[in-house]
Amino acid sequence: MHVMAPPRALRILHLEDSLTDYELAALTLRRAGIVQALVRVDTLEDFRDLTSQGTFDLILADYWLRSFTALDAWATLQELPHRPPFVLLSGAIGETAAVDAVRLGIADYLLKDDLVRLPIVIARTLEMEDARKAKEKAASELALSQQRLAELTEHLQTSIEKERAAIAREIHDDIGGSLAAIRFDVSWIARNTQDTETAAHARSALDMLQHAIGASQRIQMDLRPPILEQGLVAAVEWLARSFERRTGISTQLRGGMQHPMLDGDIRLVAYRTAQEALTNVSKYAQAQHVYIDFSDSGGLLTLEVTDDGVGMDAAQRHKPGSFGLRGLQERARTVGGWLDVSSRLGEGTSLTLCVPLDLHPSLPSKEE
């Protein structure tokens, strides 16, 4: 069988106490066309010194040496951050011992009686090593990509919240103020006009203005509820009462919090999670009851929103274009938490946010 030479010059460390066996291995590799430097050592100290320099592409090792075994040499390699592939080349190793060595992480083994296959074993070992390194590189690049995506998501969420806060302020200061001033003037007209038709139009305009003022206040609260500054429980309670009035769906808050004034980022993530969950209930669940449970016991914040609606299957949760739940999952990650969704058709849906509070140690004391 023809063996192609490896695409690079190989530097091989040969752990061997027999000069004859070393020379046979060197001859075999030269005949196979493998350009290499084969360095022999026969003591554990020399082996440790040379491998610590990190200059070898591969290690060949006899199993039994004078005062130690190849497994002792393998153990010393575990201290290195980058280990070259390790191949046993021995005349005194049983099948069971060889298999056990491979299970430890040794790349391959070959009997000295079958030395002609050494170039094949080395080529195969290097191919596997290249594949392993490529896999590690791909995993590292994927992890880096995921980290960058998480950082981008956090940046976008922060930017969105800042923009929401700015819009809420503009609605309050400009639109809200203008509507209040117009309402004052129209109310004056309604009180002072002697024309019944004009008075009727003024009262109708007042009703519309009151509706617009209420809508602007609701939009402000949705964008950035000031009540969040009073704590998570107060904010979600307001959200639940508003949801119940708007939809007619019975909404109950249960459980308790030892630290209602959590870190601001956690409060915001929990609030947005509850807000999105209630929005989904109103759109899709066809529910009669919703339950919101709080807990921060055991150093873990848990917020669970459960409904008794129609539920959904896995395909609905992951359908293309469905970004609500994915957005909540990314939000949860920004504070070191996670999101779990449990649902079955006809049995309702439960959405649970969990955030380890030990990642945010600067918790204020319990509110009086």
Side-chain angles (χ1 to χ4, degrees), residues 211-228:
H211 175 77
I213 290 170
S216 69
Q217 291 173 343
R218 186 178 68 253
I219 292 170
Q220 289 176 57
M221 293 293 286
D222 286 342
L223 286 170
R224 181 73 181 194
I227 199 171
L228 260 178

Side-chain angles (χ1 to χ4, degrees), residues 140-158 323 326-327 329-331 333-334:
S140 176
E141 291 176 348
L142 177 59
L144 180 60
S145 176
Q146 290 174 332
Q147 179 184 350
R148 289 175 176 170
L149 177 60
E151 291 171 353
L152 175 61
T153 299
E154 184 174 3
H155 171 72
L156 290 176
Q157 295 291 356
T158 301
F323 298 107
R326 296 179 210 172
Q329 289 169 339
E330 292 300 326
R331 273 186 180 274
R333 291 192 186 101
T334 64

Side-chain angles (χ1 to χ4, degrees), residues 318-324 326:
H318 303 292
K319 65 181 179 181
S322 177
F323 298 107
R326 296 179 210 172

Side-chain angles (χ1 to χ4, degrees), residues 84-203:
F86 195 107
V87 175
L88 291 177
L89 178 61
S90 179
I93 181 174
E95 186 77 16
T96 301
V99 171
D100 289 342
V102 171
R103 286 175 178 169
L104 288 175
I106 290 175
D108 209 340
Y109 70 95
L110 181 69
L111 297 178
K112 291 180 178 179
D113 292 344
D114 200 14
L115 194 60
V116 68
R117 294 187 62 250
L118 181 58
I120 299 174
V121 170
I122 288 178
R124 182 176 63 201
T125 298
L126 293 176
E127 287 177 2
M128 293 174 61
E129 180 68 7
D130 289 343
R132 184 190 65 80
K133 289 181 178 178
K135 183 178 178 180
E136 287 183 352
K137 181 180 178 182
S140 176
E141 291 176 348
L142 177 59
L144 180 60
S145 176
Q146 290 174 332
Q147 179 184 350
R148 289 175 176 170
L149 177 60
E151 291 171 353
L152 175 61
T153 299
E154 184 174 3
H155 171 72
L156 290 176
Q157 295 291 356
T158 301
S159 299
I160 289 170
E161 291 299 338
K162 287 181 179 179
E163 188 66 23
R164 281 176 164 173
I167 293 172
R169 284 194 299 270
E170 289 185 15
I171 291 174
H172 178 270
D173 297 342
D174 296 338
I175 298 175
S178 298
L179 288 174
I182 294 170
R183 184 176 180 275
F184 178 82
D185 289 339
V186 174
S187 178
W188 184 90
I189 293 171
R191 290 195 309 270
N192 292 279
T193 184
Q194 301 300 318
D195 184 71
T196 55
E197 186 176 355
T198 300
H201 279 291
R203 287 192 295 271

